[in-house]
Amino acid sequence: MILSGPRVSLRNATFGDMARITAIRHEPEVARRWGTPEEGELEEFLKDEKTFVVEAEGSVIGAIQYGEEDEPMYRHASIDIFLTTPRHGEGLGSEAVRVLARYLIEERGHHRLTIDPAADNTAAIRAYEKVGFRPVGVMRSYERGPDGTWHDGLLMELLADELTGPTDPP
């Protein structure tokens, strides 16, 4: 499957993406947020049908994935993303999240999406706000970081009618 935006495309990951995704996950800024992958972790990550690589200008620049809660009373989807550090600040992460959010709303039938960046990750929070995500609250000691200490997370959500910005390819 390929999902396209004006500057990025999302396609299902393959094992051929392993070297590039491994290199990105080992970049210091990415590893600081995501940790260093454990043995077999990236193989499992790449074979998940809910994982996509993010491409821009014909190159893999990161990965994005979603999860789904299918219980009818609580149905929603969640998104997680990482991009190679040299491409941070270009709006490509916002665009990738927007493309996946549109798919989750229009094709998968979700009315509500969540994303949960580290509470101190102001760049990611700004990127998600551009898509229409709104802060819900701080989740204290939410995630154990690669440094072994607990860090706060910010729960953000987006309702289907709050999705903002362009999504059609040029």
Side-chain angles (χ1 to χ4, degrees):
M1 175 184 330
I2 297 176
L3 307 173
S4 296
R7 298 178 301 153
V8 303
S9 61
L10 314 180
R11 66 167 172 78
N12 289 111
T14 68
F15 286 110
D17 298 312
M18 180 66 72
R20 180 67 180 130
I21 294 300
T22 299
I24 294 170
R25 280 289 304 271
H26 282 87
E27 292 175 8
E29 182 62 22
V30 176
R32 185 168 76 88
R33 299 290 182 186
W34 280 72
T36 302
E38 295 181 14
E39 184 71 34
E41 178 183 341
L42 290 180
E43 289 85 356
E44 289 297 315
F45 178 75
L46 291 177
K47 76 178 188 181
D48 187 332
E49 67 184 20
K50 296 177 181 177
T51 298
F52 298 87
V53 294
V54 180
E55 292 183 323
E57 301 163 348
S59 296
V60 173
I61 63 165
I64 190 168
Q65 67 184 91
Y66 69 94
E68 294 178 291
E69 171 57 63
D70 288 326
E71 168 61 40
M73 287 182 64
Y74 303 100
R75 184 165 164 74
H76 73 280
S78 60
I79 297 175
D80 224 345
I81 183 172
F82 62 85
L83 295 183
T84 185
T85 310
R87 302 308 297 262
H88 288 187
E90 297 180 25
L92 299 173
S94 292
E95 184 177 324
V97 169
R98 186 178 292 115
V99 168
L100 184 56
R102 181 147 326 270
Y103 167 75
L104 292 170
I105 291 166
E106 294 178 356
E107 303 298 324
R108 304 286 303 163
H110 290 285
H111 76 286
R112 180 175 168 270
L113 307 177
T114 63
I115 201 161
D116 57 357
D120 67 349
N121 192 344
T122 56
I125 293 165
R126 277 193 313 273
Y128 306 147
E129 287 174 337
K130 288 180 192 175
V131 178
F133 281 88
R134 298 179 184 180
V136 174
V138 173
M139 300 175 290
R140 299 177 304 145
S141 295
Y142 173 66
E143 178 178 56
R144 187 183 306 260
D147 64 359
T149 64
W150 290 98
H151 302 272
D152 294 346
L154 178 65
L155 179 61
M156 302 179 78
E157 69 180 0
L158 169 94
L159 299 180
D161 63 353
E162 297 169 342
L163 182 62
T164 63
T167 57
D168 297 327

